[in-house]
């Protein structure tokens, strides 16, 4: 029950307060600390002169070290929080650091604001902060679609999955997930340097996001009923089209959001010099996503957050009773 209470408080703190940017500029965000550790493991273990099998083994060792340190840090932080006055609030503050609802909404909103105030150029620049694809050739509809796709995927990775793993494993589970997810974003790439070394990180991240991605789709569909969107089409698109996505998990929230909004997501895109012929999710939907659609998506994401918070709070009250 205490984890449910802490999570509810953490969700509220994150949504209302968000990241203390001034503090993170001085000391760095904890996820950035994790990133520096991953860089050190990469530099120390990822020897390109080794065979593919050897590099996979070294990648497994890197992930084991990373997760071991994350779990240890989570145990220490939990014990410190438990020893302090108002321990639940202290732990909720720690949890909120690793949730990203407010930050996500602000970054996606920045794309819409840039489009409304400055047009396609500033909107592409704002979009480039939240996606890895080449944005230079995207038209207005493409920018809006890409922002909404990022909103859906990062809602799962940045909010639902951390919350899920906190409920499963407390602070150790939360920090282990964030470490693994950060490792996947840094070394889980299918290129010459990371295809073998990052294999373990990528596969374990797929496993860690299996349940949260599908839970995200269900939450989006349920919240659509309260946000002038279509729950039925969200579920239909998720069930039918999620397997078409090149990621085993990202397709679930993306297809659900596409169906809820009546849009088509996906399609061809570029990542650097690589062209990807992605499948269309909710292909019967409109491809011409507008600024109005972007704002509808933001409202639906907030409604989904609120529904999740309500479910956590109600669960805590039921267990308390």
């Amino acid at each position: 029950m205490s984890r449910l209470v802490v999570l509810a408080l953490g969700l509220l703190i994150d949504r209302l307060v968000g990241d203390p940017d001034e503090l993170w500029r001085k000391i760095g965000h904890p996820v950035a600390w994790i990133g520096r550790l991953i860089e050190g493991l990469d530099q120390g273990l990822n020897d390109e002169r080794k065979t593919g099998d050897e590099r996979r083994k070294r990648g497994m060792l890197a992930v084991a070290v990373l997760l071991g340190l994350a779990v240890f840090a989570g145990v220490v932080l939990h014990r410190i929080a438990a020893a302090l006055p108002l321990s639940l609030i202290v732990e909720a503050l720690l949890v909120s650091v690793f949730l990203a609802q407010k930050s996500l909404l602000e970054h996606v909103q920045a794309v819409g604001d840039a489009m409304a105030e400055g047009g396609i150029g500033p909107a592409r620049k704002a979009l480039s902060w939240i996606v890895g694809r080449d944005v230079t050739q995207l038209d207005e509809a493409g920018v809006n679609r890409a922002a909404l796709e990022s909103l859906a995927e990062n809602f799962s990775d940045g909010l639902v999955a951390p919350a899920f793993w906190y409920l499963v494993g407390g602070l150790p589970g939360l920090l282990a997930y964030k470490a693994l997810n950060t490792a996947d974003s840094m070394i889980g790439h299918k290129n010459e340097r990371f295809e073998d070394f990052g294999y373990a990180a990528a596969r374990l991240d797929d496993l860690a996001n299996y349940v949260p991605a599908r839970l995200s789709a269900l939450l989006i569909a349920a919240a659509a009923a309260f946000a002038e969107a279509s729950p039925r089409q969200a579920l239909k698109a998720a069930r039918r089209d999620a397997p078409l996505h090149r990621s085993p998990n990202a397709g679930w929230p993306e297809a659900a959001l596409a169906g809820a909004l009546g849009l088509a997501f996906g399609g061809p895109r570029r990542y650097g010099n690589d062209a990807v012929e992605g499948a269309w999710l909710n292909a019967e939907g409109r491809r011409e996503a507008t600024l109005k659609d972007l704002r509808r998506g933001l409202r639906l994401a907030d409604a989904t957050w609120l529904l999740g918070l309500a479910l956590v709070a109600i669960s805590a009250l039921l267990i308390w009773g």
Side-chain angles (χ1 to χ4, degrees), residues 266-278:
R269 61 194 69 189
R270 294 192 67 85
Y271 294 88
N273 295 323
D274 298 325
V276 176
E277 290 297 325

Side-chain angles (χ1 to χ4, degrees), residues 49-282:
R49 296 169 297 180
K50 300 293 184 180
T51 65
D53 285 344
E54 180 63 26
R55 292 173 75 184
R56 281 200 182 192
K57 291 176 182 177
R58 288 176 172 232
M60 293 177 190
L61 175 60
V63 170
V65 170
L66 180 67
L67 293 182
L69 290 173
V71 169
F72 176 75
V75 170
V76 170
L77 288 172
H78 172 69
R79 290 182 177 178
I80 291 172
L84 295 173
L86 302 175
S87 59
L88 292 184
I89 294 176
V90 173
E91 184 151 328
L93 286 167
L94 293 171
V95 169
S96 72
V97 170
F98 298 98
L99 302 175
Q101 176 73 354
K102 182 175 175 62
S103 174
L104 173 61
L105 294 180
E106 287 176 346
H107 279 87
V108 176
Q109 181 65 53
V111 177
D113 291 344
M115 183 73 77
E117 297 169 8
I120 190 69
R124 287 173 180 158
K125 183 176 181 181
L127 178 64
S128 70
W129 286 96
I130 58 173
V131 301
R133 73 182 72 175
D134 180 5
V135 303
T136 57
Q137 302 303 314
L138 292 179
D139 59 10
E140 181 174 344
V143 168
N144 289 326
R145 274 202 319 273
L148 285 166
E149 290 164 9
S150 180
L151 175 66
E153 182 179 2
N154 286 294
F155 179 78
S156 178
D157 289 357
L159 186 74
V160 177
F164 173 81
W165 283 107
Y166 175 74
L167 289 178
V168 170
L171 281 176
L174 171 58
L175 266 66
Y177 171 77
K178 292 302 292 186
L180 182 61
N181 189 243
T182 305
D184 177 61
S185 70
M186 294 178 67
I187 63 174
H189 304 295
K190 291 183 178 180
N191 57 30
E192 185 175 353
R193 179 166 181 81
F194 294 124
E195 185 169 9
D196 292 311
F197 185 75
Y199 180 83
R203 298 291 75 78
L204 284 175
D205 185 71
D206 288 342
L207 183 62
N209 280 294
Y210 184 90
V211 172
R214 287 148 182 82
L215 179 59
S216 297
L218 290 174
L219 288 171
I220 290 169
F226 307 100
E228 301 180 0
S230 173
R232 182 177 180 181
Q233 188 61 27
L235 288 173
K236 177 183 176 182
R239 287 197 305 264
R240 182 192 63 198
D241 297 339
L244 303 178
H245 199 285
R246 64 178 189 151
S247 163
N249 296 314
W252 288 89
E254 288 186 25
L257 186 62
L261 298 176
L263 298 171
F265 287 173
R269 61 194 69 189
R270 294 192 67 85
Y271 294 88
N273 295 323
D274 298 325
V276 176
E277 290 297 325
W280 286 100
L281 308 178
N282 196 47

